[in-house]
Amino acid sequence: MLMLLALHLAAAALAPALVHRWGRSAFLPLALVPAGAFGWALGQTGAVGDGGAVVETYRWVPQLDLDLALRLTTLSWLLVLLIGGIGALTLLYCVRYFDADESGLGRFAASFVGFAGAMFGVVVADDLLLLYVFWELTSVFSFLLIAQHPEQPASRRSAAQALLVTTLGGLTMLIGFVMLGQHAGTYRWSEIAARPPPSGGYLAVAVVLILVGALSKSAIFPTSFWLPAAMAAPTPVSAYLHAAAMVKAGVYLIALLAPAYVHTGPWRPVVYVAGIVTVLAGGWAALRQVDLKLLLAYGTVSQLGLLVVLVGAGTPDAALAGIATLLAHALFKAALFLVVGIIDRRAGTRDLTVLSGLWRRMPLVFAMTMLAAASMAGMPPLFGFAAKEVVLAAFAAEPPLLAAVMLGGVLTVAYTARFVWGAFGDRRGKEPTPVRRVEVALSAPAGLLAVVGLALGLAAGTVQEALIGYPRLFGAPEHELAFLPASGLGLGLWAVVVVAGLLVFGLRRPVGAMQARLRAPFDGDRVYQTLSRGLDLVAVKLTGATQRGSLPQYLGIILIALVVVLGGALVRVPWPEQTVAWEHPLQAAVGTVLVVAALLTVRARRRLTAVILTGVTGYSTAMVFVLYGAPDVALAQFLAETVTIVIFVLVLRRLPARFSDRPVRRSRWLRLLLGVSVGVVVAGMAVAAAGVRRAPRISADYPGPALSFGYGRNVVNVTLVDIRAWDTMGEIAVLVVAATGVASLIFQSRRGPDLPRRDDLPPPGPEGVWLRAGATLRTRRRSIVFEVVVRLLFHTVVLFSIFLLFSGHNAPGGGFVGGLVAGLALAVRYLAGGRHELDQAAPVDAGVMLGIGLFVAVGTGLASMAVGGDVLGSAVLEPRLPLVGNVHLVTSIFFDIGVYLVVVGLALDILRSLGAELDRQIEVEDEPGTGLRTDPVRSAGMAGTGSPATPGGTDPDSAGAEGR
């Protein structure tokens, strides 16, 4: 089962490339994936028969006791057959359904196969949390499939509506799962079902919450409105998701839980009321539809309501009827949706008031439609009849339910007749609708499904033997599946339903007039729209009241909360009996410098002065680390503080030199008071936390594991790349996201290096230019000595950063520190020679470097898992290299290389965005004739970042100063 899940994932990842290469023919190999699931399930028929199960378990997150627990039972076996078989046929149908030049087919194929894999995961997951993961994946893929045509407002609206409704239901269900798992002491469903916890108020709430998620997924009242709206999706999506797969997920979950919780207080009232209302409302609405696809959609809603009633009733006969109806419905409804797609594509319309005489134009399609429609109406010897007879027999002892089910059957027969007549019947006074030729490849999937419905009907007894494992969870059924009436009562009830349904269809005109007069008191879609607009309005008002665009206000609210919450906690925390102000006079001196610099920062009136003083506080903190014997941490702090100052200075070029006169004096004192309060509270928390320690420090146990498991003596570095590598992974991912955000805010066009054309620069060599970017700078902005020194030292510094990278496992250094050193080398190169010099030094795309770094880091973890080790775990490699000899290599160095690349890529991205790109924008603003003149106070920069050269590449006074 895990292999099938991985196969779906791999196929979804490859689908865009396959479609790009082969066009719509790529659906053929992709169909092999769900077909493989279908074949595998067929091979497990004997194993799951009569209540057996196929089980696979893989360790996933041991700390959370979360496993990849997969289990195939009779119920899930049937769903896998439907998901795989109908999924494969639908993909084959797509080969001819879509035009050769249709856009977005790669995305569609990937989403379709991904959905099939997620749905497979839903029905085989034995862990409730794992089931929820796959459950939400189906919602995401459904959103992508419904929004296949994002340029159409209806597609966007329907996709968002389906996603919102099913996701909110899923979150509600998750709460119920958590309550149920905590109550039972396990999230493994097979264990919970074997020992159901006793009923009670707590359990009743959990069950209702789970039912909310299941009912919303299957479009059951009051959330039925999202399914008809989802008909904006392409017809293959409707045939698969909204007939055979996704909407069955809620039915499957109710059927899964019913053996254990059917006797829980609110179970039957919720299931019966929601199901019966859906049966009647959906069938009634289907009778007034003129769009064939909408007619089937409302019919699907009605029959989903019936399925919920059947699988939720909790009796052996209802369970047999439910699982048989589930199979029959998937076959005939998927076939009919595919037929609608054929009519739409070949006749150009789905409007039954326009179509006429298609039974003559499409005789083969008409024949397969009659088979599928007869099964939907419950006509013998189709499998739909075998299921419907057991449905009527299951509720014979419950007159109210029987009456509701029979009325739903009457509506089903009526809208089935309306569908056949509307799609293929003759219209008085209208010529037969012209159609294009229907290829065999387009009609074969629907025809095969219709024929299977006939074959299963004739073999109803054999089908019951395969499905009997599920009904026996409730007891022994009294009735059997048969393709002909098995009793006089069953025959009579069936005849009443069919005759009454045909009568309703025959009286369609007066029935239509009555429907026009009788309107529902409320419409689900209108209620949804009203609630959505109301929520949007509340969000806008709340955002307008709280998000004022003032950074000081945001920080002030956060810091006030910190002072109030943590300060209140400090009052009740016991303080240490003894405290030591400092252990060495140098610590007091450094602390004094730090405090004075912080106070002067608050009083500073110039921005650059404030930045420098803030840097002093950072360097003082690094000195504290040095005095406490933490050279690795101190080195990282020194480098990070230097990079931060460079970033600040780059940004300051676009800001006034001085702070504004605001805030007023009173506000300034309030801010000063808040800052002091935060400092006091944070310092107090540090002292209190150190004073109340009772357990030994975890850091005392780090040196041993660092050497024995991480194979390194530098505890800090081993912690980052091995012991707590997951934390580092998250941090570098945040760095990548932050870099992407900065670049998207700054760059107006492209993100890569802006290299001068080769023809614009003299070639290197004895007669060329060594400082290649010098021709782009004004002489008064240049420092030849600075440029030469930087150029001479640049490569040495980069090599030193690489040395720090490789030595960091046993000495101060590592990927983060080495990356900061390389980033500073690039920064100095930029400050000396400007943006063109930076691009010559690093002619690579920063985004590519960030991506490669993250890929290398993630790949290290996957590689260790692939060879049977722990994710991101370290191992020792000792290869013997020619001319070098034995090399001692720890695999975590590859993770550290990824960190190094991410940090260098981040530094390069910041220099390009806040440095080079701002330079370019300033140059554009300073060009004559643009009308944009930059304030010299705002745009004044450092050496190498100033104004551009005059036209021609150099200043008039720069002759002979090219820096040869």
Side-chain angles (χ1 to χ4, degrees), residues 592-871:
T592 302
V593 172
L594 193 154
V595 172
V596 171
L599 293 175
L600 291 176
T601 301
V602 177
R603 301 295 301 166
R605 303 303 302 147
R606 298 181 64 89
R607 297 180 188 272
L608 184 59
T609 303
V611 168
I612 294 173
L613 290 171
T614 303
V616 172
T617 63
Y619 290 130
S620 299
T621 304
M623 284 301 302
V624 173
F625 295 147
V626 171
L627 294 175
Y628 273 97
D632 211 337
V633 180
L635 180 59
Q637 176 67 25
F638 275 120
L639 295 171
E641 195 64 40
T642 305
V643 171
T644 303
I645 291 176
V646 172
I647 295 172
F648 269 122
V649 172
L650 293 177
V651 174
L652 289 183
R653 295 179 302 156
R654 294 297 252 175
L655 295 174
R658 293 179 175 272
F659 290 107
S660 64
D661 293 334
R662 299 184 61 84
V664 295
R665 185 177 300 274
R666 183 178 62 181
S667 176
R668 188 178 299 132
W669 282 106
L670 289 175
R671 298 183 187 198
L672 180 60
L673 177 62
L674 177 60
V676 172
S677 301
V678 171
V680 170
V681 169
V682 172
M685 288 298 298
V687 173
V692 299
R693 180 189 298 275
R694 295 293 180 266
R697 300 178 179 180
I698 61 173
S699 59
D701 297 329
Y702 269 34
L707 184 59
S708 58
F709 294 105
Y711 308 103
R713 294 181 175 81
N714 184 349
V715 178
V716 174
N717 183 260
V718 173
T719 301
L720 291 175
V721 300
D722 190 304
I723 299 176
R724 304 195 64 173
W726 278 109
D727 293 349
T728 307
M729 179 75 73
E731 290 164 2
I732 63 175
V734 170
L735 285 178
V736 173
V737 173
T740 304
V742 170
S744 63
L745 290 173
I746 300 298
F747 283 100
Q748 299 175 357
S749 55
R750 61 192 184 91
R751 188 182 188 179
D754 185 17
L755 295 173
R757 291 183 301 175
R758 188 176 298 273
D759 297 339
D760 295 340
L761 294 173
E767 301 299 328
V769 174
W770 184 55
L771 301 177
R772 298 179 66 85
T776 63
L777 301 176
R778 289 182 177 177
T779 302
R780 64 177 179 271
R781 296 287 185 183
R782 297 183 62 191
S783 172
I784 300 299
V785 174
F786 186 29
E787 290 182 47
V788 171
V789 170
V790 168
R791 190 65 184 269
L792 289 173
L793 295 179
F794 175 75
H795 299 90
T796 303
V797 176
V798 171
L799 286 175
F800 179 63
S801 73
I802 297 174
F803 167 78
L804 290 173
L805 164 66
F806 284 94
S807 67
H809 216 57
N810 293 289
F816 182 71
V817 171
L820 288 176
V821 171
L824 284 174
L826 292 171
V828 176
R829 187 80 178 265
Y830 162 72
L831 296 176
R835 62 190 179 97
H836 293 301
E837 186 77 11
L838 172 66
D839 291 335
Q840 289 291 335
V844 295
D845 190 303
V848 172
M849 183 171 288
L850 287 166
I852 293 175
L854 189 60
F855 176 78
V856 170
V858 175
T860 302
L862 295 178
S864 62
M865 183 175 65
V867 297
D870 295 331
V871 179

Side-chain angles (χ1 to χ4, degrees), residues 15 164 335 384 401:
L164 183 61
L401 282 176

